Amino acid sequence: MNTSTHEIADRIYRISTCVPDAAPGGFTFNQFLVDADEPLLFHTGPRRMFPLVSAAVARILPLERLRWITFGHVEADECGAMNELLAAAPLAEVAHGATGCMVSLDDLCDRPPRKLADGEVIDLGGRRVRHIDTPHVPHNWEARVLFEETTGTLFCGDLFTHAGDGPAITDADIVGPALAAEELFHATALSPATGTTIRRLAALEPRTLALMHGSSTHTRCGESLRTLADAYDRMTRQL
Ligand SMILES: [Fe+2]
Ligand SMILES: [Fe+2]
């Protein structure tokens, strides 16, 4: 497995590892490093990927400078290496919504996590990340996303998940591949609130969508979120 690094927005780096057997054409596991006075990582990668991810971070900044460890929800690919990172970066804290802390992270984290209220902003010094609760979207009660306000980057986690080892940034449609992957994985928790929650993210009018699985994009971000919301609404009505 190779891990590549690409700056997808000003001082925001996508660290990407493709696992060939995880899906037809491969499946990428991406982490995002925000290089600021207080550096932040969104997704840790699975525990077994820690050597690859930590080496990739260390090529951009010293690992021990990492201040914030964040992720969308509690699954191995999102946060499996959080305790390895806490050990490697003595100033680092896990930051997550109150639900995630109460249900899982207060117990799972080797150091107590920082609990964030919906809409709360962490000023990283040069970058500002807003925590947004998105319960059950795309899955898990504690689900959330992060919006970096100065670059307009939405770290949207598993939303738009698609297979393949595409480029770091694509101008192509990301909704079609996401719906094809949905047919394969059935990973989204469809509910009457799914579309509404995604439309709320579209209203942010992000300039970059940073995807955990697949290519990120600068193109038609709000429109793609609204199209995805409409598709999930249609699927929900068919349940
Ligand atoms: Fe997930
Ligand atoms: Fe994921």
Side-chain angles (χ1 to χ4, degrees):
M1 285 187 295
N2 283 328
T3 299
S4 63
T5 303
H6 187 97
E7 188 175 5
I8 61 158
D10 188 19
R11 295 172 68 197
I12 296 180
Y13 298 86
R14 171 189 188 257
I15 297 166
S16 183
T17 307
C18 184
V19 177
D21 300 334
F27 194 65
T28 53
F29 291 83
N30 306 322
Q31 301 79 40
F32 296 93
L33 179 66
V34 181
D35 177 15
D37 293 349
E38 298 188 3
L40 174 145
L41 189 67
F42 191 70
H43 309 141
T44 73
R47 192 163 54 94
R48 288 199 181 87
M49 226 179 250
F50 175 71
L52 292 174
V53 174
S54 56
V57 171
R59 285 194 288 275
I60 299 164
L61 50 84
L63 192 57
E64 58 271 22
R65 266 195 63 214
L66 199 60
R67 177 67 181 85
W68 298 105
I69 299 167
T70 59
F71 39 86
H73 47 269
V74 180
E75 286 180 332
D77 57 339
E78 269 79 6
C79 65
M82 66 182 172
N83 286 326
E84 280 75 2
L85 285 163
L86 285 172
L91 300 176
E93 281 178 273
V94 170
H96 203 92
T99 303
C101 295
M102 177 185 72
V103 173
S104 298
L105 298 170
D106 283 342
D107 181 65
L108 294 178
C109 291
D110 282 349
R111 288 199 293 276
R114 159 91 175 263
K115 295 176 180 59
L116 300 171
D118 188 28
E120 188 171 342
V121 170
I122 302 179
D123 190 338
L124 303 176
R127 295 287 175 272
R128 290 166 54 84
V129 287
R130 192 190 317 170
H131 157 77
I132 301 169
D133 282 321
T134 61
H136 304 290
V137 177
H139 45 245
N140 288 24
W141 185 16
E142 74 283 357
R144 49 83 76 115
V145 296
L146 266 192
F147 183 60
E148 201 291 302
E149 296 180 337
T150 61
T151 58
T153 300
L154 182 67
F155 298 106
C156 53
D158 286 346
L159 284 172
F160 297 105
T161 285
H162 53 270
D165 189 14
I169 295 285
T170 184
D171 290 332
D173 169 51
I174 57 168
V175 180
L179 296 178
E182 183 65 38
E183 236 169 79
L184 201 63
F185 299 130
H186 301 287
T188 301
L190 294 173
S191 88
T194 309
T196 308
T197 303
I198 296 173
R199 265 182 222 100
R200 209 176 303 138
L201 303 179
L204 298 167
E205 295 297 347
R207 300 196 292 279
T208 298
L209 295 175
L211 275 62
M212 181 175 192
H213 308 286
S215 302
S216 295
T217 190
H218 304 309
T219 309
R220 299 181 298 276
C221 297
E223 183 189 323
S224 295
L225 283 160
R226 282 183 280 273
T227 307
L228 187 71
D230 292 347
Y232 285 139
D233 277 350
R234 280 195 300 278
M235 286 182 209
T236 302
R237 284 195 295 273
Q238 285 164 10
L239 290 175

